[in-house]
């Protein structure tokens, strides 16, 4: 059995996701430490120790933060546990070293299925009361990335919070959907193991974080790109109820989910390609590389695995996608902070995610024709009329605007509009024109993922200027005050009003230019009346 080749929105989305920053960042192998602060020698004080339900762990202290790395939050999802809800981790005797990161989950750069671990960062000089907890869901197009790629020391030391970064199953190992797998776990169904892993990590936090100085009653999930999608999906997952108390989604909340019927059709075709049909033991004996190869064959390209790795909507974990769940009144009542970046599309064009950047009218129209399905079928000629080359410094810039507006800016605006009548919402746009690029080379403006360097220590990015360092401190203040009291208002920073009213404000984030702008002006700048994407 062979599933149809990916076309339309599906193929365009797969291409779009192929260049996300999490996929481009070099993974940190098991046993290595982070660049920058993580590679500095630990101070001479006694190594920190904390208690968990499974046993004691001993971490390390670096640059003002205690770090406990590679703590298992679930049993390895291997053998008979592959494609099952995560099982509790095993206990240990004595004190377990927590100074080296666990393995990344299987992806293009390697990894191991024994990967369900997390890392806890806390301030060294912490108060005796429980700290707000922020749980980071990494990006990477659903097929790559690891918690160890992100060093949250600036958030921890600058904002006085405890940060947990996690690994979760990726690719088809995190999203395979099959009727046989549904029968094994009828309460959850299949197609959303990555979400189940994240929920297991959140349960671990609820059960154990007090031993690290954190407050289990004040947990914020936050993520970027695919991680932002996951954060919003947890907001509407009934199985996540009570596991967290606020959510921040950076560039990706409103990306679409995969309908369960389509996911199961694809999964059935992958099983047939592997020669396993409905034999789950056969599937569990296949290697991750064999599974990914089969998915690429079924979909017609390696990018097909990315599309198939988006969690499926229609099962017990995710009954509906974000927009449909909000409209149906089925969501967890938590405050939200949702945002996007001004120049989201530039990184994708620069990295060649859509082939060579267009250089003239003919190549521009050809690029629009290839990707017109990003706009739900709007003809390329109509897009070219809405985004004429005369309005942009180059065809590549015009194409970048099309991609960013249609896929991120206007989808995020619609998500904010849909949520504001139901949940407390704060909206932002990151607009620093000189932000360091995660795509390599010189700055690409406020492109996809560029805000990460203002919150984390990110390897391979340029040093922030003095003005950008000030912005970084202000953003850390906003993010961590939102985690602390669910309102992004920090001392010494301009007020960030709530996204409410007939013309709800969006907070602009740029050096020396923080403050609210009208969502009406935002919509006009990004041509949102033209796109008006459904979410």
């Amino acid at each position: 059995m062979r599933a149809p080749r990916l076309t339309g929105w599906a193929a365009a989305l797969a291409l779009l996701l192929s260049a996300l920053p999490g996929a481009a960042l070099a993974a940190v192998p098991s046993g290595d430490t982070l660049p920058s602060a993580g590679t500095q020698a630990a101070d001479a004080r006694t190594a920190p120790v904390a208690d968990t339900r499974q046993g004691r762990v001993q971490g390390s202290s670096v640059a003002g933060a205690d770090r406990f790395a590679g703590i298992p939050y679930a049993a390895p999802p291997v053998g008979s546990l592959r494609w099952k809800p995560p099982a509790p981790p095993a206990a240990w005797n004595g004190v377990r070293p927590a100074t080296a990161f666990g393995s990344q989950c299987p992806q293009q750069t390697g990894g191991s299925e024994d990967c369900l671990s997390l890392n806890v960062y806390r301030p060294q000089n912490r108060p005796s009361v429980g700290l707000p907890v922020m749980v980071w869901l990494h990006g990477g197009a659903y097929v790559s990335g690891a918690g160890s790629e992100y060093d949250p020391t600036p958030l921890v030391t600058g904002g006085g919070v405890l940060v947990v970064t996690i690994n979760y199953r990726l690719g088809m190992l995190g999203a395979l959907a099959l009727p046989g797998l549904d029968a094994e776990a009828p309460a959850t169904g299949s197609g959303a193991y990555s979400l189940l892993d994240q929920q297991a990590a959140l349960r671990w936090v609820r059960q154990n974080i007090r031993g690290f100085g954190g407050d289990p009653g004040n947990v914020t999930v936050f993520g970027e790109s695919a991680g932002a999608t996951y954060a919003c999906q947890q907001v509407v997952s009934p199985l996540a109820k009570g596991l967290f108390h606020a959510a921040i989604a950076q560039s990706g909340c409103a990306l679409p989910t995969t309908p369960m019927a389509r996911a199961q059709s694809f999964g059935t075709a992958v099983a047939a390609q592997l020669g396993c049909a409905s034999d789950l033991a056969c599937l569990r004996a296949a290697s991750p590389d064999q599974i990914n190869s089969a998915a690429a064959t079924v979909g017609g390209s390696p990018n097909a695995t990315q599309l198939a790795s988006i969690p499926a909507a229609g099962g017990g974990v995710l009954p509906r996608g974000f927009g449909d769940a909000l409209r149906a009144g089925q969501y967890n009542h938590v405050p939200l902070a949702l945002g996007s970046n001004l120049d989201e599309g530039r990184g994708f064009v620069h990295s060649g995610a859509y082939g060579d950047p267009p250089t003239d009218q003919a190549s521009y129209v050809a690029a629009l024709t290839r990707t017109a399905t990003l706009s739900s079928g709007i003809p390329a000629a109509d897009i070219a009329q809405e985004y004429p080359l005369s309005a942009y410094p180059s065809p590549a810039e015009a194409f970048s605007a099309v991609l960013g507006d249609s896929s991120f800016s206007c989808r995020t605006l619609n998500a904010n509009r849909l949520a504001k009548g139901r949940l407390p919402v704060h909206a932002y746009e990151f607009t620093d024109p000189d932000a360091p690029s995660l795509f390599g080379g010189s700055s690409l403006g406020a492109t996809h993922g560029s805000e990460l360097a203002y919150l984390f220590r990110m390897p391979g990015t340029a040093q922030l200027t003095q003005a950008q360092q000030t912005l970084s401190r202000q953003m850390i203040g906003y993010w961590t005050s939102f985690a602390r009291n669910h309102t992004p208002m920090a001392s010494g920073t301009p007020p960030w009003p709530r996204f409410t009213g007939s013309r709800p404000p969006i907070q602009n984030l740029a050096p020396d230019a923080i403050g609210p702008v009208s969502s009406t002006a935002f919509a006009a700048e990004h041509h949102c009346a033209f796109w008006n994407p459904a979410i």
Side-chain angles (χ1 to χ4, degrees):
M1 177 178 181
R2 183 178 176 85
R5 184 182 179 90
L6 295 174
T7 58
W9 165 263
L13 179 61
L15 278 171
L16 179 66
L17 296 175
S18 67
L20 296 185
L25 291 173
V28 179
S30 176
D32 284 2
T33 53
L34 283 170
S36 188
T39 58
Q40 300 174 30
D43 62 27
R45 76 190 195 100
T46 304
V49 176
D51 292 317
T52 76
R53 290 191 176 189
Q54 288 71 45
R56 306 193 83 194
V57 291
Q58 182 172 359
S60 56
S61 300
V62 181
D66 292 339
R67 188 190 73 194
F68 300 84
I71 304 173
Y73 68 82
V78 299
S80 63
L81 295 182
R82 180 191 277 179
W83 295 310
K84 284 187 178 178
W92 56 82
N93 295 319
V95 180
R96 180 188 179 106
T99 56
F101 294 117
S103 174
Q104 64 183 18
C105 292
Q107 52 198 278
Q108 187 176 6
T109 55
S112 165
E113 287 187 79
D114 183 1
C115 63
L116 299 187
S117 65
L118 52 78
N119 316 296
V120 180
Y121 299 76
R122 71 183 185 191
Q124 287 181 7
N125 300 316
R126 59 193 182 282
S128 57
V129 297
L131 294 174
V133 181
M134 302 183 73
V135 178
W136 176 247
L137 308 179
H138 68 77
Y142 314 97
V143 297
S144 67
S148 56
E149 293 177 348
Y150 301 82
D151 180 357
T153 300
L155 288 162
V156 171
T157 59
V161 297
L162 189 152
V163 177
V164 180
T165 68
I166 72 170
N167 294 346
Y168 53 83
R169 279 175 280 186
L170 301 166
M172 298 305 296
L173 294 174
L176 184 70
L178 283 172
L181 295 174
D182 291 346
E184 286 188 339
T188 61
S190 60
Y193 301 102
S194 51
L195 286 170
L196 285 170
D197 291 346
Q198 295 159 17
Q199 291 169 4
L202 289 168
R203 281 191 294 274
W204 185 97
V205 167
R206 184 174 62 184
Q207 295 168 356
N208 295 287
I209 209 64
R210 196 181 301 278
F212 295 81
D215 180 2
N218 191 8
V219 176
T220 297
V221 296
F222 70 130
E224 184 267 344
S225 198
T229 303
Y230 285 125
C232 286
Q233 289 170 347
Q234 297 294 4
V235 170
V236 299
S237 172
L239 302 186
K241 183 177 181 179
L243 294 180
F244 64 99
H245 311 92
I248 302 172
Q250 302 167 210
S251 300
C253 174
L255 290 177
T257 54
T258 303
M260 183 62 73
R262 183 188 300 167
Q264 293 210 344
S265 175
F266 191 90
T268 300
V270 169
Q273 180 66 30
L274 288 165
C276 296
S278 59
D279 185 348
L280 297 183
C282 171
L283 282 169
R284 288 177 170 132
S287 71
D289 286 344
Q290 289 171 324
I291 295 165
N292 288 335
S293 177
T297 299
V298 168
S301 75
N303 289 328
T305 306
Q306 294 170 331
L307 176 74
S309 301
I310 300 171
V317 184
L318 192 65
R320 293 178 171 87
F322 182 72
D324 289 341
L326 287 180
R327 283 185 282 266
Q330 298 179 349
Y331 50 88
N332 300 313
H333 290 262
V334 298
L336 306 177
L338 310 179
S340 57
N341 296 351
L342 175 64
D343 308 306
E344 293 277 5
R346 276 190 188 150
F348 301 111
V349 174
H350 173 81
S351 65
Y354 294 91
D356 293 334
T359 56
D360 54 25
Q361 180 71 24
S363 59
Y364 175 53
V365 172
L368 293 177
T369 301
R370 293 194 303 270
T371 59
T373 47
L374 282 170
S375 59
S376 302
I378 297 176
D382 291 351
I383 301 174
Q385 184 174 356
E386 181 73 14
Y387 292 79
L389 292 187
S390 59
Y392 298 90
S394 71
E397 279 295 293
F399 189 42
S400 296
V402 169
L403 296 179
D405 292 354
S406 61
S407 300
F408 291 97
S409 298
C410 297
R411 288 184 171 277
T412 301
L413 177 61
N414 280 3
N416 279 307
R417 287 172 169 171
L418 183 60
K420 80 179 180 71
R422 299 166 171 85
L423 297 168
V425 180
H426 286 81
Y428 78 86
E429 184 178 40
F430 178 79
T431 64
D432 184 357
D434 301 309
S437 173
L438 297 183
F439 290 85
S442 59
S443 174
L444 297 171
T447 192
H448 191 70
S450 57
E451 86 286 0
L452 291 171
Y454 296 72
L455 302 171
F456 297 88
R457 285 198 177 101
M458 300 298 295
T461 58
Q463 174 123 4
L464 299 181
T465 66
Q466 185 172 355
Q468 289 172 331
Q469 291 175 28
T470 299
L471 175 61
S472 172
R473 289 190 294 270
Q474 292 170 316
M475 289 175 61
I476 287 171
Y478 283 141
W479 261 242
T480 57
S481 68
F482 184 80
R484 181 170 287 104
N485 55 35
H486 304 159
T487 303
M489 300 294 178
S491 175
T493 59
W496 180 346
R498 184 170 158 180
F499 189 83
T500 188
S502 59
R503 292 189 176 182
I506 296 173
Q507 190 79 338
N508 184 68
L509 299 176
D512 304 316
I514 291 183
V517 298
S518 167
S519 55
T520 302
F522 176 97
E525 181 175 12
H526 294 290
H527 304 251
C528 292
F530 175 78
W531 297 111
N532 193 27
I535 63 168

